Amino acid sequence: MSTGKKKIEWVANYMPLLNEISKMGQPLKNWKIGMAIHMEAKTAYLAITLHKLGAEVIATGCNPLSTQDDVAQALAEMGITVYAKRTHDENEYLKTVHKVLDHKPDLILDDGADMTVIAHTERKEVLENLKGISEETTTGVRRIKILQNEGKLKVPVIAVNNARMKHLFDNRYGTGQSTWDSIMRNTNSLIAGKKVVVAGYGWCGRGIALRAKGLGAHVIVTEVDPIKAIEALMDGFEVLNMDNAVEIADIIVTSTGNRDIIKEEHILKMKNGIILANAGHFNVEIPMEKIEEMAEEKFEARTNVTGYKINGKTIFVIGEGRLVNLAAADGHPIEIMDLSFALQSLSLMYLSENYQKLDNKVYDYPKELDEKVAYMKLKTLGIKIDHLTQEQIEYLKKF
Amino acid sequence: MSTGKKKIEWVANYMPLLNEISKMGQPLKNWKIGMAIHMEAKTAYLAITLHKLGAEVIATGCNPLSTQDDVAQALAEMGITVYAKRTHDENEYLKTVHKVLDHKPDLILDDGADMTVIAHTERKEVLENLKGISEETTTGVRRIKILQNEGKLKVPVIAVNNARMKHLFDNRYGTGQSTWDSIMRNTNSLIAGKKVVVAGYGWCGRGIALRAKGLGAHVIVTEVDPIKAIEALMDGFEVLNMDNAVEIADIIVTSTGNRDIIKEEHILKMKNGIILANAGHFNVEIPMEKIEEMAEEKFEARTNVTGYKINGKTIFVIGEGRLVNLAAADGHPIEIMDLSFALQSLSLMYLSENYQKLDNKVYDYPKELDEKVAYMKLKTLGIKIDHLTQEQIEYLKKF
Amino acid sequence: MSTGKKKIEWVANYMPLLNEISKMGQPLKNWKIGMAIHMEAKTAYLAITLHKLGAEVIATGCNPLSTQDDVAQALAEMGITVYAKRTHDENEYLKTVHKVLDHKPDLILDDGADMTVIAHTERKEVLENLKGISEETTTGVRRIKILQNEGKLKVPVIAVNNARMKHLFDNRYGTGQSTWDSIMRNTNSLIAGKKVVVAGYGWCGRGIALRAKGLGAHVIVTEVDPIKAIEALMDGFEVLNMDNAVEIADIIVTSTGNRDIIKEEHILKMKNGIILANAGHFNVEIPMEKIEEMAEEKFEARTNVTGYKINGKTIFVIGEGRLVNLAAADGHPIEIMDLSFALQSLSLMYLSENYQKLDNKVYDYPKELDEKVAYMKLKTLGIKIDHLTQEQIEYLKKF
Amino acid sequence: MSTGKKKIEWVANYMPLLNEISKMGQPLKNWKIGMAIHMEAKTAYLAITLHKLGAEVIATGCNPLSTQDDVAQALAEMGITVYAKRTHDENEYLKTVHKVLDHKPDLILDDGADMTVIAHTERKEVLENLKGISEETTTGVRRIKILQNEGKLKVPVIAVNNARMKHLFDNRYGTGQSTWDSIMRNTNSLIAGKKVVVAGYGWCGRGIALRAKGLGAHVIVTEVDPIKAIEALMDGFEVLNMDNAVEIADIIVTSTGNRDIIKEEHILKMKNGIILANAGHFNVEIPMEKIEEMAEEKFEARTNVTGYKINGKTIFVIGEGRLVNLAAADGHPIEIMDLSFALQSLSLMYLSENYQKLDNKVYDYPKELDEKVAYMKLKTLGIKIDHLTQEQIEYLKKF
């Protein structure tokens, strides 16, 4: 079996919701779906699922760096049209987006909104046939809302990220686990007893802090929001400002969604051997340029780990300050992506059935589909929950 | 020193925010404040704080059962006009609300909205002088919104419960701790190794489940919301429906906000010696009437614990199925109420300054005051946090 | 029902092992057992259990301060001869020990070895009939070993405290829970977010630290043993010396088994409002005399809580520095004592059967009885565990 | 820089104790040390440390499978004589042991006792010069004790494994972390919400269960010791026998030190997609032969993961049932090995100074060295702890 096929078969074992959905018949028969996605095993299995539901799927990446060619190859062999290649530069990548659009898809499944924006600007002719878009990320939704505000959005869009089954789970449990998986495998360093600084106590930060505690670390949280700071405190963590935290830190993980969380003066105060990792979306939280500039020497210390000698001390950065679980490990755990992609599949099916009733605007993820995914997950786990009686429904109306 | 005074002095040790606020001068000088509150040490200290800020305070209870006469007595000696008495029946209690209104207060601090509703119906003449209301509870806000929707609300109202510094903390950390404090002190029963069923995984349920885990229990969660059910699962808890949970439960704590969480068929399946406690607002979660009806024998098993012999087994209920931390212990920890009452104090000061600019409607708690309380709390703890730089503020606007 | 009887009936609900043992027939028929025990509901139920097993039981306290007269009264009504009274002074108490010995018991169940020592010194005539002793505490065993070393011990003695089912559980889970039960109920103070210093990381300290973490505290451990210090660190706790810990502590719990854990210079550095509690056996860990001496003012701050004004700050001590779970709460949870007393019951039955084969020395608790109690506990919980196969037994012999 | 050198330099960052020890001068000057060790970066750094202390070091592996040739090469370049090679078969490996002995070492640092046994049997002539042995493992000590019991042991031996700084830490914190590191990196599977069965609740099992809980799993423990079973229960885990556990398990980790923990009937009951991992020393806990025999199909599912199709279901085994953290990850975290190797270094220095006073038998690890390592660790962490006063020392003598 090819390596690509093997990778896809592996994730298929732990994606029970996609497996369940793929048995739902042919609701997407005669629907052409254009996908722009990270071309790796988990997303590949989503493409296959849509294909099983009857759709013609035409796919490319959403970032050439994340494309795994063996997976793309396997997908192609399974009946998906694939244009992604790892070696593509930015320009070549954009050409593949155009190639997908050449197919005049009925639906777009987008990740970051490149395909959506191009369809609405350079390739307006494809809008004629386009009936709906399902967008995975917050960043993508933000870009689409600009189109909407300018009156340029021509199809209904479903924002998948605000589904409860997505944002409640992938940040806390996905990022929480995979950040530590990455740090442990890349450093072989003991977490128990370490002083771990988590910058930012949003959903990601909470997950990272919780798992660090679970691994025996002494966790210190930094925040700019005073209320979140008190939450961290009452969750049993120490709260310091970065200026004080950096002096005692063995490991710092940034997850703020903001830039320059670590500043020049902080770098000078760090302990020798400190490990820095970023779990925020963009690689601006750890100031890589500043570090490169300050370093007297830079060297590869271990696969995925770069050492910088600064002022007589050595600082280690994992995955070049990029999202540590993706840049230096396998991204979110499979089951987390299964939840997200179940939401995506239902979103596309929903658009195919309801697009005529929908306006050309960004819709929140439909509550009933959100709960449907939750019930499917419970079913695959064999878990039964309670249901409101009529009396209870009445009671809730009153109180 | 009188017992009432001693109780108030004790809580004063752990209410640093009220202590801080009481040093803010005389911003409430010449303001008359009518209070309807649970008349015990923590609320008494709020009344004293408002008094120190210059206000004339006239207080009664919001429920005669919660009135502690020694505290009321001590308050009276400290310059507060007090009408509450524990022995009052419903009718006498309502008369004390009228007595407070006789003073024609400028501001009302309400808990449950009895005073607000009476002012707007039977005692409309007091509205002339009334400038604003600060309401503590969700229930109270709901009642006031009915007034608002009917066009009858005549003053601006601030809903304190939706402040982040309130609902993020009192449910999770306040209810979480005080529920177990109550169960432990009233039963002397070991929690470690016990099968503890927590019904409902809202903020209260999360706190109760977390603390049970912290005490070594095997925690089982029941839910009607499939998404919360999966959250509970990923937090490491077992999820069952009540029908299965009840068969293995050693202790059941209800915190759903709904009625009849335990049903007749559940009662018959319970293990001998099971302990039932309710941490939800109203005493309808455990079906007390049904239990009384089914019991062949009822007896006081321990102070605050009633035993019921049903079908050859004995079931124990703490605090008659009423809110277990209030009915059978000391309510929320002092520091939690300090946060809530700091919010209340600032709310009243805000109303006194801004009432002329406000409409006669229910306002969300002002964000800036919410954060002010958080910063004050951090200051009393000696904790410094980070602050956004100008570059970071710019960055956040873009992403 | 009398209050004493009610107390005993309550604990009977949560002592499944004693309930199980009491069904074992009449193995102690015609045996006279002299008991010196804390006369409260849990020990009372042990006396009743022995009575049900056929023994004639004659009991007194082991410390008049711990005697509950209503329980003693209830015991008497249930056929036990009881001499304990709360109002007894030291001298009167010792007389009751003699009265028990007047009955010429066959077996002694001792707690602290007062009865054992008196029998071997002042009342040697009772040794003639005495066939064995079961001693609950480490302190008692130490005293008995002195007798043994001096060649004066005339009966076999079983040391119950070194049973794994005792020391593994009562310190960690018993002291861990009941210490926090006591601190919470006596202060109504929030534990989450507090800086809690635990002095000593033995079995008790581990339990106290674990439960504090489970309640959301930031836990700091102090130690004199460098290896335990590193254990605490790797368990995720902060480790400081007392000199530094005392400056940031909100609550200090001592559990070292040593004296003067807090020193004069520490007292001067404490934060205003600090809460001190001792969970070690003797009231020498917190230097009460020193505090009394330093205090400008002493006052009852709350039931069981004494305030001391020292140097402009107030320090609060729970339960006068005595074992906080006994002095200011209900002692160990019932289920923990059920384990200990099951060990005691089996120990007495073992002595009655085997005394002729035993030497006059202190015996470790028999391994097979230790495991028997564990299996009984598992059975009452309905838990099945695995059993070694013959192949596995062989394998273990080789590796 | 060569890959071997780079690996060694990486671990040097996180071995502060060896760094500290290497500054202790030349106490091993003119001492020849023969080493039989897993030839990888962490042990290499131990060899270098001994070299820095003045010793002439001659090394080979203790198992050719664990030899990393690039590390061996780097060691050779740094002045160590190295004979290990990964490609060696059993016979060639044993020849390298003889080659080390050809140097007539003064001291042996052994791991598993191959070198010790050969010296005492086939190569008795080397005993003439041999002054002492330091053995890392329990298995090795067992073999040496056979020599001792047969009167054949000719030098003093120090058993490093029973040092508290070793067994308290490497099993719980080392195995605990590295087992989950290995499972996560090899499966990309979510741990939160999974039913994880840990077979065996010894030091390893405790660490594995604790970390699984910290990652959000629902942990089930199986045991054959009823007392450990109750410990697991009171630590908040579910306890089942394997027969019941296997039906609900998503992941099973064995850590019992025994064989055939999973039996044929268990395999038939497993859920489809179950993941099996062994964290016990030998690969006999998961019955690999039985599984191979039962499998209709066997395939490589992912690097280090083998899939077996049995009875319509697929079972996955990581690392062929061998010690999962070594076979499929990087072994213990670096800091854990730093503790162990600090003990080893001090052990060799101790032998070099005291061998003339020692008998030819196995010695427990010296308490003072054990504490010395602990104090060194605290010092590198900048942590100060308390020290007993004279009064406290006196007190402890009495109670």
Side-chain angles (χ1 to χ4, degrees), chain B residues 14 177 189-190 194 273 335, chain C residues 14 177 189-190 194 273 335:
Chain B
Y14 300 102
Q177 172 176 320
S189 187
L190 184 69
K194 285 279 165 65
E335 292 87 344
Chain C
Y14 301 102
Q177 172 175 321
S189 188
L190 183 70
K194 285 279 164 66
E335 293 86 345

Side-chain angles (χ1 to χ4, degrees), chain A residues 6 10 13-14 42 177 184-185 187-191 194 211 214-215 273 275 300 316 333-335, chain D residues 6 10 13-14 42 177 184-185 187-191 194 211 214-215 273 275 300 316 333-335:
Chain A
K6 201 188 287 177
W10 174 254
N13 289 300
Y14 300 102
K42 288 168 275 190
Q177 172 175 321
M184 290 193 292
R185 74 162 80 170
T187 65
N188 194 25
S189 187
L190 183 69
I191 309 303
K194 285 280 165 65
R211 293 299 172 243
L215 288 161
I275 293 167
E300 191 193 41
F316 296 106
I334 302 169
E335 292 87 344
Chain D
K6 202 188 285 178
W10 174 255
N13 289 301
Y14 301 102
K42 288 167 276 192
Q177 171 175 323
M184 289 194 291
R185 74 163 78 171
T187 65
N188 194 26
S189 188
L190 183 69
I191 309 305
K194 285 281 166 64
R211 293 296 171 245
L215 289 162
I275 294 166
E300 191 195 40
F316 298 106
I334 302 168
E335 292 86 344

Side-chain angles (χ1 to χ4, degrees), chain C residues 88-99 114 118 122:
Chain C
H88 282 161
D89 62 21
E90 181 70 11
N91 208 28
E92 290 167 314
Y93 154 63
L94 289 173
K95 274 185 195 157
T96 67
V97 175
H98 280 277
K99 280 189 189 168
D114 276 353
I118 288 173
E122 303 167 44

Side-chain angles (χ1 to χ4, degrees), chain B residues 135-153:
Chain B
E135 165 59 44
E136 177 84 0
T137 67
T138 317
T139 308
V141 166
R142 203 176 33 77
R143 294 178 71 190
I144 297 172
K145 282 195 171 160
I146 293 173
L147 286 177
Q148 177 179 326
N149 293 340
E150 294 171 343
K152 293 179 183 161
L153 186 65

Side-chain angles (χ1 to χ4, degrees), chain D residues 263-313:
Chain D
K263 303 193 170 57
E264 183 168 352
E265 64 267 29
H266 298 151
I267 294 166
L268 294 171
K269 285 174 156 187
M270 285 174 180
K271 290 200 289 191
N272 187 39
I274 194 171
I275 294 166
L276 307 182
N278 170 44
H281 199 74
F282 296 110
N283 61 342
V284 297
E285 309 213 5
I286 300 173
M288 293 311 297
E289 285 180 29
K290 179 63 67 183
I291 289 174
E292 300 258 347
E293 195 186 302
M294 293 169 78
E296 295 128 33
E297 193 190 325
K298 171 184 174 181
F299 59 100
E300 191 195 40
R302 212 171 188 253
T303 309
N304 293 323
V305 182
T306 312
Y308 295 92
K309 304 229 173 194
I310 299 177
N311 232 6
K313 287 179 289 188

Side-chain angles (χ1 to χ4, degrees), chain B residues 76-310:
Chain B
E77 286 165 15
M78 294 161 101
I80 314 290
T81 306
V82 184
Y83 295 113
K85 226 178 202 125
R86 192 182 192 88
T87 50
H88 282 162
D89 62 21
E90 180 71 12
N91 207 29
E92 289 167 313
Y93 154 61
L94 289 172
K95 273 186 195 155
T96 67
V97 175
H98 281 275
K99 278 190 191 168
V100 173
L101 291 175
D102 289 346
H103 290 256
K104 302 221 169 173
D106 299 292
L107 296 170
I108 287 176
L109 192 166
D110 215 347
D111 184 313
D114 277 353
M115 191 176 285
T116 299
V117 169
I118 289 173
H120 280 80
T121 52
E122 303 168 42
R123 299 294 301 274
K124 290 185 187 169
E125 79 278 11
V126 307
L127 297 175
E128 207 176 315
N129 190 51
L130 193 64
K131 293 160 191 81
I133 294 169
S134 190
E135 165 59 44
E136 177 84 0
T137 67
T138 317
T139 308
V141 166
R142 203 176 33 77
R143 294 178 71 190
I144 297 172
K145 282 195 171 160
I146 293 173
L147 286 177
Q148 177 179 326
N149 293 340
E150 294 171 343
K152 293 179 183 161
L153 186 65
K154 298 303 178 202
V155 288
V157 176
I158 291 180
V160 173
N161 192 59
N162 70 2
R164 287 167 71 204
M165 285 305 293
K166 182 162 190 304
H167 72 266
L168 285 181
F169 297 97
D170 67 356
N171 288 332
R172 262 187 303 179
Y173 309 109
T175 307
Q177 172 176 320
S178 57
T179 295
W180 290 106
D181 171 3
S182 178
I183 293 173
M184 291 193 291
R185 75 162 79 170
N186 285 301
T187 65
N188 195 23
S189 187
L190 184 69
I191 309 304
K194 285 279 165 65
K195 302 226 186 237
V196 168
V197 174
V198 178
Y201 202 63
W203 287 117
C204 282
R206 281 186 190 100
I208 295 165
L210 186 66
R211 294 298 171 241
K213 189 185 194 176
L215 288 162
H218 171 148
V219 180
I220 294 134
V221 170
T222 71
E223 248 302 337
V224 292
D225 177 337
I227 301 178
K228 285 185 185 165
I230 294 175
E231 259 192 291
L233 193 84
M234 298 232 175
D235 285 339
F237 301 115
E238 189 165 4
V239 176
L240 294 174
N241 61 13
M242 185 57 84
D243 216 41
N244 290 320
V246 83
E247 292 182 349
I248 58 174
D250 294 306
I251 299 173
I252 300 180
V253 184
T254 54
S255 62
T256 67
N258 207 329
R259 56 179 288 180
D260 297 327
I261 300 316
I262 294 168
K263 302 191 172 56
E264 183 167 352
E265 64 266 31
H266 299 151
I267 294 166
L268 294 170
K269 286 173 156 188
M270 286 174 180
K271 290 200 289 192
N272 187 38
I274 194 171
I275 293 167
L276 307 182
N278 170 45
H281 198 73
F282 296 109
N283 62 341
V284 297
E285 310 214 3
I286 300 172
M288 294 308 299
E289 284 180 30
K290 178 65 68 184
I291 290 175
E292 300 258 347
E293 194 185 302
M294 292 169 78
E296 297 129 30
E297 191 190 326
K298 172 183 174 181
F299 60 100
E300 191 193 41
R302 213 173 188 252
T303 309
N304 292 323
V305 182
T306 312
Y308 295 92
K309 304 230 172 193
I310 298 178

